[in-house]
Amino acid sequence: MTAGSMRHLYIHVPFCARRCSYCDFAISVRNDTPIDDYVDALRLELDRQDASHWLLDTIYLGGGTPSRLGESVGDVLRLVRDRVSIAADAEITIEANPDDVTRAVADAWVRDGVNRVSLGSQSFDPEVLQWMHRTHSAEQIGSAFTTLRDAGIRNISLDLIFALPESLHRNWHADVDRVLELQPEHISLYGLTVEPHTPLSRWLGRGEVTEASEERYESDFMLAHQQLGDAGFEHYEVSNFARQDRRSRHNSSYWTGASYAGIGPSAHSFDGAVRSWNVAAYADWERRLRSGDAIVAESETLTGENRLSERVYLGLRTTDGLPASDAEIRLARPWQEAGWAEIRNRTIVLTATGFLRLDALAASLTLAGSR
Ligand code: SF4
């Protein structure tokens, strides 16, 4: 890879006001976000990069809760602009929590080049939001959405979590309807998973809550596939739905195996051959930058086997599909008969029921390919 081929930049902003009950991300829970220290540390990290020949097509501020930076998002983008070329039509996304979105902040984001917002909503049910330890109300989702639109953001994604414990009596159909009423361009859906060391895993351990069944997971997933499809959304990736020409360009780059640079604590980078990731803890990352120490925690060079499994897994997870060999097409024929896949122009494309079996199907192709 040459330095000039880098087109995608991920910036990890680790701060959150509170930890959500299901979250095990590398975050730093703070009442007061140390914005100046963070931006200054990012500057040090960017100065370590050989970035002068990058031409960025996408920039993604993820977290954590990047909206905790408020109007200082502009300072972060200026750091990048001062060092790196950014394409005129670049997609610049920020993840935001509804309670951080004010008109002044949204105006500042637009002025500084943000043109896409991924608004964390998760549910419109007040009891569910409370159970999840979310910091916002259901009303704040709608008002943040309207504020972003009024400020000129024409590309908004909303996300929801499905497969919640039955005891919450969550009305999944109603939540999907509420999202559709807002008319976003993009929607992401994630099944609730229980990660170790989270409040949710402790509740489960104490028997206070029971995980949703596999049947519930599948029925929620298929119901949303139907509802969103009827409303004109393309189910273009396992967890993602978009209106025409509104796929996430940044995340799509990951799914095509493109190179990307990541900065910030725990951020991953990939240069086409080696994947590396920064130390996860904010304080450790910042200290190392200031003292001149290395910030890469680990790296791995992709083996032939890694590449084979990534090609299969990434290919199957979007509706662009997996360009397949004769042997792979033969293996996928039974999937076609089961309704899990279509085979078009020598490309295997999973259906929604196939997406539900992605891991198993990808594993069987990978295994056959490695023999
Ligand atoms: S806001 Fe996002 S990153 Fe922060 S705790 Fe909640 S789920 Fe995790």
Side-chain angles (χ1 to χ4, degrees), residues 141-157:
I141 303 169
S143 55
F145 191 96
T146 305
T147 301
L148 290 168
R149 277 283 193 252
D150 290 347
I153 300 284
R154 296 281 158 262
N155 197 354
I156 304 179
S157 181

Side-chain angles (χ1 to χ4, degrees), residues 333-362:
R333 289 275 177 226
W335 307 354
Q336 197 177 17
E337 281 152 33
W340 301 338
E342 292 171 8
I343 298 169
R344 310 175 200 147
N345 302 325
R346 304 189 53 78
T347 299
I348 304 170
V349 182
L350 294 190
T351 61
T353 50
F355 281 155
L356 283 166
R357 295 163 177 79
L358 170 64
D359 288 345
L361 298 181

Side-chain angles (χ1 to χ4, degrees), residues 242-305:
R243 293 231 175 259
Q244 196 172 7
D245 299 327
R246 293 299 195 172
R247 292 183 180 196
S248 163
R249 284 161 51 190
H250 185 83
N251 288 336
S252 294
S253 74
Y254 298 147
W255 304 322
T256 54
S259 303
Y260 52 85
I263 58 173
S266 82
H268 285 54
S269 300
F270 178 56
D271 68 2
V274 178
R275 184 170 292 125
S276 60
W277 51 96
N278 286 349
V279 292
Y282 169 68
D284 191 19
W285 169 80
E286 196 207 358
R287 183 192 56 73
R288 286 171 185 244
L289 281 165
R290 295 201 191 287
S291 59
D293 292 340
I295 53 167
V296 172
E298 270 184 82
S299 63
E300 62 182 11
T301 302
L302 294 193
T303 62
E305 206 172 320

Side-chain angles (χ1 to χ4, degrees), residues 73-270:
V73 165
D75 296 334
V76 171
L77 292 175
R78 271 184 288 281
L79 282 182
V80 177
R81 271 204 183 89
D82 287 349
R83 290 160 179 78
V84 178
S85 300
I86 302 176
D89 67 341
E91 176 191 88
I92 303 181
T93 305
I94 181 170
E95 290 178 353
N97 270 359
D99 42 329
D100 291 329
V101 178
T102 64
R103 183 59 196 260
V105 161
D107 283 342
W109 291 349
V110 171
R111 194 177 58 236
D112 292 321
V114 171
N115 51 26
R116 184 171 184 274
V117 176
S118 174
L119 192 62
S121 35
Q122 319 313 346
S123 175
F124 289 80
D125 180 326
E127 282 177 30
V128 168
L129 290 172
Q130 203 178 16
W131 181 84
M132 289 177 170
H133 293 174
R134 297 293 295 176
T135 53
H136 59 85
S137 66
E139 291 70 34
Q140 282 174 310
I141 303 169
S143 55
F145 191 96
T146 305
T147 301
L148 290 168
R149 277 283 193 252
D150 290 347
I153 300 284
R154 296 281 158 262
N155 197 354
I156 304 179
S157 181
L158 291 172
D159 47 15
L160 290 176
I161 297 184
F162 65 94
L164 301 183
E166 299 293 344
S167 53
L168 290 170
H169 303 294
R170 192 269 194 92
N171 184 336
W172 174 233
H173 190 285
D175 263 351
V176 176
D177 270 346
R178 292 287 295 277
V179 160
L180 286 173
E181 278 164 23
L182 291 173
Q183 301 187 4
E185 284 68 36
H186 188 277
I187 298 169
S188 301
L189 306 179
Y190 302 103
L192 184 71
T193 52
V194 182
E195 306 297 343
H197 314 301
T198 57
L200 177 58
S201 75
R202 287 192 286 280
W203 299 340
L204 263 154
R206 293 201 294 260
E208 293 167 10
V209 73
T210 311
E211 257 185 288
S213 64
E214 216 169 292
E215 291 73 29
R216 160 62 66 183
Y217 187 101
E218 292 195 10
S219 67
D220 279 3
F221 184 85
M222 291 309 296
L223 182 72
H225 170 78
Q226 187 69 45
Q227 261 177 285
L228 298 179
D230 289 347
F233 281 82
E234 180 199 13
H235 190 171
Y236 73 99
E237 193 268 348
V238 184
S239 306
N240 289 287
F241 300 73
R243 293 231 175 259
Q244 196 172 7
D245 299 327
R246 293 299 195 172
R247 292 183 180 196
S248 163
R249 284 161 51 190
H250 185 83
N251 288 336
S252 294
S253 74
Y254 298 147
W255 304 322
T256 54
S259 303
Y260 52 85
I263 58 173
S266 82
H268 285 54
S269 300
F270 178 56

Side-chain angles (χ1 to χ4, degrees), residues 16 18-20 22-23 25 27 63-65 97 134:
C16 290
R18 188 181 349 165
R19 185 175 284 278
C20 298
Y22 50 84
C23 179
F25 291 173
I27 60 164
T65 314
N97 270 359
R134 297 293 295 176

